[in-house]
Amino acid sequence: MQTKTRIRNNLCQTKWEEKFTSNFISSELCNGQNLSYTMMITPGPNPRQITMANFNDRASQATTAKVVANLINGSVFDIYEQFMAFGKVSGAGTIDADRRITLNFQIINGTDTLVCNGILFPN
């Protein structure tokens, strides 16, 4: 069920975060290597943010691999540069009408850079 929120001229719209909230099957290509896994997306710690858990299939007993992204509008997000146990992450993505997410990001760990492109399908 989608929550409605009031906006300035008394019209209602679906919260941007809700379009993204779900479990997704991620299919990524990172430096020539294919990777497929489940990513969980939930509302972020602040309004107009989302949290992506098991980012780049990096969840383990030591980390949930949660990356936070800012929603630019209802279909575009920005992964601001943030430090994770596995490196520095940044990137961007979009969601389409069928809730497919296109994701482009990089992970820098020391002198190694991992460049990734992926598509996430709602599960």
Side-chain angles (χ1 to χ4, degrees):
M1 180 175 168
Q2 293 188 338
T3 304
K4 301 289 182 180
T5 187
R6 287 245 169 244
I7 57 176
R8 198 174 299 171
N9 58 3
N10 290 330
L11 297 175
C12 291
Q13 69 180 21
T14 301
K15 287 184 178 181
W16 291 349
E17 298 90 336
E18 291 187 15
K19 288 174 63 176
F20 293 89
T21 301
S22 187
N23 289 336
F24 290 85
I25 301 298
S26 179
S27 178
E28 293 177 4
L29 181 63
C30 299
N31 288 4
Q33 299 292 322
N34 288 312
L35 184 62
S36 182
Y37 63 94
T38 300
M39 182 187 296
M40 294 71 60
I41 299 181
T42 58
N46 296 306
R48 294 195 176 170
Q49 287 186 328
I50 54 174
T51 299
M52 296 176 274
N54 193 31
F55 191 83
N56 193 234
D57 201 26
R58 301 288 180 127
S60 67
Q61 290 180 341
T63 179
T64 57
K66 289 184 178 179
V67 170
V68 176
N70 292 321
L71 299 177
I72 306 303
N73 58 42
S75 59
V76 177
F77 62 91
D78 176 60
I79 302 170
Y80 59 90
E81 188 175 273
Q82 51 205 283
F83 293 91
M84 307 298 293
F86 48 85
K88 184 172 53 175
V89 177
S90 63
T94 60
I95 190 168
D96 68 17
D98 294 322
R99 296 186 65 228
R100 284 186 304 249
I101 294 175
T102 301
L103 179 62
N104 301 295
F105 64 95
Q106 67 178 9
I107 300 172
I108 300 172
N109 191 353
T111 59
D112 295 328
T113 299
L114 186 65
V115 177
C116 300
N117 303 297
I119 298 178
L120 284 67
F121 300 93
N123 187 10

